[in-house]
Amino acid sequence: MTRQTDLATINNPDSFSFPIQLLDMNAVQYLTDAQGVKTSVVISIDDWKTLSSYMNEVKELEQIVKSVQSGLAQAKKIEAGKLPLPSQTTEEFLNEL
């Protein structure tokens, strides 16, 4: 189960749903040690695949956020005169993509 992420999802955090809502919490099993302390959780393979898929999506979104933050920090330095302006126009840059 793969979910596609688009800019609408990134710009609207309310549209992102965390997979825990999709897990049947009644089907979760806990393993305990001799003192009864929970040490592990057992979930179905389907729930694991769903959770893994969402975690990969979160990692991708995290990379996008870091990239945007880096770009904004660089733009602020350019604006403050601490970095030179890029030698290519925005149009040239976008055409390279």
Side-chain angles (χ1 to χ4, degrees):
M1 173 187 296
T2 303
R3 194 177 119 180
Q4 295 296 318
T5 302
D6 58 16
L7 288 177
T9 301
I10 296 168
N11 290 328
N12 183 5
D14 295 334
S15 67
F16 183 80
S17 61
F18 194 67
I20 201 74
Q21 299 166 350
L22 303 176
L23 301 179
D24 179 3
M25 296 309 287
N26 294 323
V28 173
Q29 299 174 25
Y30 297 94
L31 302 181
T32 59
D33 63 16
Q35 290 76 36
V37 175
K38 293 177 185 175
T39 58
S40 302
V41 175
V42 179
I43 61 173
S44 72
I45 291 295
D46 287 341
D47 285 346
W48 173 250
K49 288 177 182 177
T50 299
L51 191 57
S52 294
S53 173
Y54 277 86
M55 290 307 297
N56 286 333
E57 183 175 341
V58 168
K59 288 177 186 176
E60 290 174 22
L61 289 172
E62 197 172 51
Q63 287 301 107
I64 292 169
V65 168
K66 286 179 182 179
S67 178
V68 168
Q69 288 173 332
S70 173
L72 290 173
Q74 192 172 22
K76 286 181 182 180
K77 288 179 182 177
I78 290 169
E79 189 175 62
K82 295 179 181 178
L83 283 177
L85 285 172
S87 59
Q88 64 185 166
T89 67
T90 303
E91 185 176 339
E92 290 170 336
F93 170 76
L94 292 174
N95 286 336
E96 289 181 8
L97 300 177

